[in-house]
Amino acid sequence: MFTRNEIMEKSRELAELIRGSEEAQIFKQAEQQIQGHQRVQSLIAQMKKKQKEIVAFESMRNQEMVSRIEKEIDELQAEIDAIPLVTEYQQSQADMNYLLQFVMSAIQDTVSQKINVESGKEAPPSRCD
């Protein structure tokens, strides 16, 4: 039998393995590059400002200005998306998410094979020895 603390320790070990994976390293590097890219950061800041403007104009019920600002945000987003570094970052983010989903599915499948999760009973042995 394992205690909750032992399970948590194993989860920390697994987290360290994931943190050291190639996907995680590429993601961290891409994230640092994005944070250091002045044009990307400027565009993001402009988008955040525009989003606040939308909230203000929505509260004033000025749909015309909301629509205009939404178009401006779309243009800023298109400009961000056209930067190759952003595409690389998005791909690394997708790769990292895939890895995490893979690990979660593997854990779920492994646990489900050993325990009938719905009833809380152990699964019957696959063979008799």
Side-chain angles (χ1 to χ4, degrees):
M1 228 133 161
F2 290 102
T3 66
R4 191 174 288 243
N5 287 338
E6 290 169 324
I7 293 170
M8 289 306 299
E9 180 56 36
K10 293 292 183 189
S11 70
R12 284 188 281 278
E13 289 174 20
L14 180 57
E16 283 301 311
L17 287 172
I18 292 169
R19 190 171 71 90
S21 71
E22 181 179 1
E23 292 88 346
Q25 298 306 310
I26 291 170
F27 174 74
K28 282 189 259 181
Q29 182 180 15
E31 187 175 44
Q32 288 172 346
Q33 289 175 332
I34 286 286
Q35 290 173 354
H37 195 282
Q38 285 188 308
R39 183 65 184 147
V40 170
Q41 292 306 310
S42 172
L43 291 167
I44 290 170
Q46 289 176 51
M47 285 181 66
K48 287 180 181 180
K49 182 181 176 199
K50 298 281 181 196
Q51 289 167 340
K52 288 178 183 178
E53 290 175 12
I54 284 178
V55 171
F57 283 114
E58 282 177 337
S59 69
M60 292 186 268
R61 301 191 196 304
N62 187 337
Q63 190 56 43
E64 182 180 328
M65 284 302 292
V66 168
S67 295
R68 187 174 134 225
I69 295 169
E70 284 175 341
K71 287 178 185 173
E72 292 173 7
I73 289 174
D74 289 344
E75 290 169 6
L76 290 169
Q77 185 64 56
E79 190 174 342
I80 288 173
D81 291 342
I83 297 170
L85 182 62
V86 172
T87 304
E88 292 171 23
Y89 171 73
Q90 291 169 335
Q91 182 59 53
S92 71
Q93 191 175 39
D95 293 345
M96 192 67 213
N97 286 336
Y98 176 80
L99 175 63
L100 293 173
Q101 288 299 319
F102 174 77
V103 169
M104 297 270 297
S105 292
I107 291 170
Q108 182 178 358
D109 291 347
T110 303
V111 170
S112 293
Q113 288 174 2
K114 301 291 180 185
I115 298 174
N116 185 345
V117 177
E118 290 195 29
S119 68
K121 297 179 183 175
E122 286 192 30
S126 57
R127 60 182 198 165
C128 296
D129 289 334

